[in-house]
Amino acid sequence: MTLMELAEHEGKAKVAIAARVDGVLRDLAVRAPAEGKVEWVTVQDPDGIEIMRHSTAHVMAAAVKELFPEAKITIGPAIENGFYYDFDVEEPFTPEDLKRIEEKMGEIVRAADPFLREDLSKEEALALFSGEPYKEELLADIPDPTVSLYRVGNFLDLCRGPHLPSSGRVGAYKLMNTAGAYWRGDSRNRMLTRIYGIAFAKKKELDLHLHLLEEVKKRDHRRLGKELDLFSVNDEIGPGLILWHPKGAIVRRIMEDFWREEHARAGYDLVFSPHIARIDLWRVSGHLDYYRQSMFSAIGVEGQDYQLKPMNCPFHIQIYKSRMRSYRDLPVRYAELGTVYRYEPSGTLHGLMRVRGFTQDDAHLFLRSDQLDEEIFSLLDFTLFVLRRFGFDRYEIFLSTRPEKYAGTPENWAKAEEALKRALDRKGLSYEVDPGEGVFYGPKIDIKIKDVLGRAWQCSTIQVDFNNPDRFDVAFIGDDGAEHRAIMIHRALMGSLERFFGVLVEHYAGAFPLWLSPVQVDVLTVTDRHVEYGREVVAALRAAGYRAEGDFRNEKLGYKIRESQLDKVPYAIVIGDREVTDRKVSPRRRGGEQLPPVSVEEFLGTLRKETENRKP
RNA sequence: GCCGACGUAGCUCAACGGUAGAGCAUCUGAUUUGUAAUCAGACGGUUGGGGGUUCGAUUCCCUCCGUCGGCUCCA
């Protein structure tokens, strides 16, 4: 009896698409075990939906091979929300091709061809895949003597499986776009043509996801940046270089003020450093060896080479080194909103999220080794405190370990990795280990913040550095009167102000909380009769420290309300005959909620309450 | 950087080998208006830059710049 027959017997044939036999995922076509645990896997199951998406990729590849027999197949896994498949073709697919492929997929789904598994020796498989060089290459790399193949209709693919019982069980899918992708993700390899698709169990879920994509588009910080006049990038200035317009600049200034205030409170000393330095500084720091591909070319000055800074650390180190330090002075914490410049390949630039010039909310901590654990622990605390103030309370945390290209000794790396791990464990934070993803000078904790739509953004980073102290001879005098090596921590909480601001814009869809809003209150008059009192109200709000603007134009109230709403101003207050007579204002919240008329004093109280503690 | 698509008025988009058009914004006038758009008129473009094909290019070709979707990389 096969699992399929067993499923029929148990009345599960309609929902089961695979089975977990003693914890191992299997096709329904295989023989049911005489004993052992069988669990049915459905498309509701995370494993099940992945199988379905993977099978959809096969169906797509089958459709492509029918329409474009000369296309060479490569690989096509399931991914979040869907799947992709990479092909080697002479001419990349056009949107019209995608439409045809999608239709052909429909035919294959309607045909409900079974997915048939065949286990063959590698030699037999090689014979079947002659003319498919990528499959031959994959086969050559498989150590096992036998491999599994899956056939659906006329399409045969090398695959581990499992798969749906038949193509008829494929759910709702849609081909989205094509993209270039290197074979095996290596830029030295040939560029393939990738087709991305999304796939869900039900049409309704697919529609929901398409709706989500619309929402993402609406929140795009590049669109909102233009609509709300927050920032721009400009051809004549150059790609990846940001112009902060007045409204964006207000938000940035508030972010910076908050940051400075809290850092002073947390025991940091605020410093400033220049944007360029002699190239030798970067030779000593190791940047020239390990970071050169991210640096702009040197600048010749009176026969000497200077370098635009990609990081702030060497400067802070020099401040530390400007005098002798006692063990009693540590930890020394230098913080700077330091603007750095990094060469990023043009194809990677993206609005505010990936730029060539950005300001890090950087700090460097100089510690004794006995202070490392405690400092990292309180740093995690501080980081989460700052992030929460901006409305982020969900995170993905990664611990990145030693990369291939690194400076320092493996022993020191291990020590640092241990220290980071201990702090995370003590703080009770769950995290993933990212092997080999550390920076060249040390391991790090990265905190990705999750926005309202659940997307994760890399912002905060805490990096231990055992390298620079050696290179720059960063030392302190211990209680034994001898010189000791200090440990350094690099850290940024918001990461880059540009990226963090971009994330903020998307998180709030441009509707910033009151404390961050570029304009907090719009004062709208009904007719010319009310302008005088309107000016008075604007002046009173400004005198109290709020960002208020008056709209005294000769327009209908509805027109002004609409504009205020589109500008996402938190409060619009209406002033007409009634308000002038009673010396009151009628506030309306962004979103339409109408509040009762109150005196200006009372309204100020409302604002004060809403901005205290910088409520997100 | 690589692959593909794209670049038309301040913005969003039409036209597509035959001297470029709409809506919104802006400006002017009228209207004095009560919670998401009052009406009318005017202004606005060497169609991203350069080169080529053609009697003629926004349209076809080349090249450069930039943007977008990915890949590689990353705050």
Side-chain angles (χ1 to χ4, degrees), chain A residues 552-570:
Chain A
F552 306 143
R553 290 175 302 174
N554 177 7
E555 292 290 350
K556 292 169 77 173
L557 182 62
Y559 182 88
K560 298 184 185 184
I561 293 270
R562 176 182 153 83
E563 276 201 359
S564 176
Q565 175 81 31
L566 290 175
D567 287 344
K568 306 189 191 260
V569 175

Side-chain angles (χ1 to χ4, degrees), chain A residues 319-344:
Chain A
I319 298 174
Y320 176 91
K321 286 185 55 168
S322 64
R323 66 177 176 86
M324 186 92 91
R325 306 288 172 175
S326 151
Y327 70 97
R328 292 197 195 87
D329 298 333
L330 304 187
V332 166
R333 305 184 185 92
Y334 291 145
E336 176 179 14
L337 294 165
T339 303
V340 297
Y341 295 87
R342 297 184 185 172
Y343 165 73
E344 302 287 351

Side-chain angles (χ1 to χ4, degrees), chain A residues 365 367 371-383 415-424 426-427 429 443 445 462-464 487-489:
Chain A
L365 319 180
L367 317 168
Q371 294 171 320
L372 185 62
D373 282 22
E374 191 56 39
E375 194 66 24
I376 291 174
F377 181 73
S378 57
L379 194 46
L380 278 174
D381 235 14
F382 188 43
T383 307
K415 243 201 287 188
E417 286 168 14
E418 272 313 303
L420 291 174
K421 203 174 284 184
R422 271 197 301 278
L424 283 168
R426 186 173 147 211
K427 185 88 190 128
L429 294 167
I445 293 172
I462 298 174
Q463 312 177 346
V464 180
I487 296 173
M488 264 180 78
I489 297 175

Side-chain angles (χ1 to χ4, degrees), chain A residues 209-244:
Chain A
H209 187 255
L210 290 173
H211 182 77
L212 177 78
L213 292 180
E214 282 302 309
E215 184 61 28
V216 165
K217 225 173 169 179
K218 266 191 242 158
R219 285 170 179 263
D220 191 315
H221 72 284
R222 293 166 299 184
R223 170 207 280 250
L224 288 168
K226 197 179 280 181
E227 281 176 9
L228 302 176
D229 198 16
L230 301 171
F231 72 93
S232 64
V233 281
N234 178 310
D235 256 24
E236 293 177 59
I237 289 169
L241 303 169
I242 305 301
L243 292 172
W244 294 72

Side-chain angles (χ1 to χ4, degrees), chain A residues 462-502:
Chain A
I462 298 174
Q463 312 177 346
V464 180
D465 184 350
F466 283 117
N467 168 57
N468 269 304
D470 275 346
R471 288 173 167 268
F472 283 101
D473 187 23
V474 178
F476 62 91
I477 306 299
D479 56 358
D480 54 359
E483 220 179 70
H484 297 270
R485 182 66 73 239
I487 296 173
M488 264 180 78
I489 297 175
H490 308 239
R491 46 108 283 188
L493 313 186
M494 297 185 264
S496 99
L497 296 183
E498 284 75 6
R499 178 179 290 179
F500 198 78
F501 178 55

Side-chain angles (χ1 to χ4, degrees), chain A residues 54 58 72-77 84-88 121-123 125-127 129-149 155-160 182-185 189 192:
Chain A
H54 184 191
H58 275 237
K72 305 289 178 237
I73 53 172
T74 68
I75 55 165
Y84 69 76
Y85 205 112
D86 288 345
F87 303 92
D88 188 355
S121 73
K122 261 167 75 172
E123 290 69 30
L126 271 170
F129 284 118
S130 71
E132 293 287 358
Y134 297 92
K135 290 295 166 187
E136 289 173 2
E137 188 179 329
L138 290 170
L139 275 167
D141 287 350
I142 296 175
D144 305 332
T146 63
V147 295
S148 60
L149 311 184
F155 177 71
L156 184 68
D157 202 354
L158 174 69
C159 187
R160 211 175 275 127
Y182 299 110
W183 166 237
R184 296 194 153 179
N189 287 341
L192 306 171

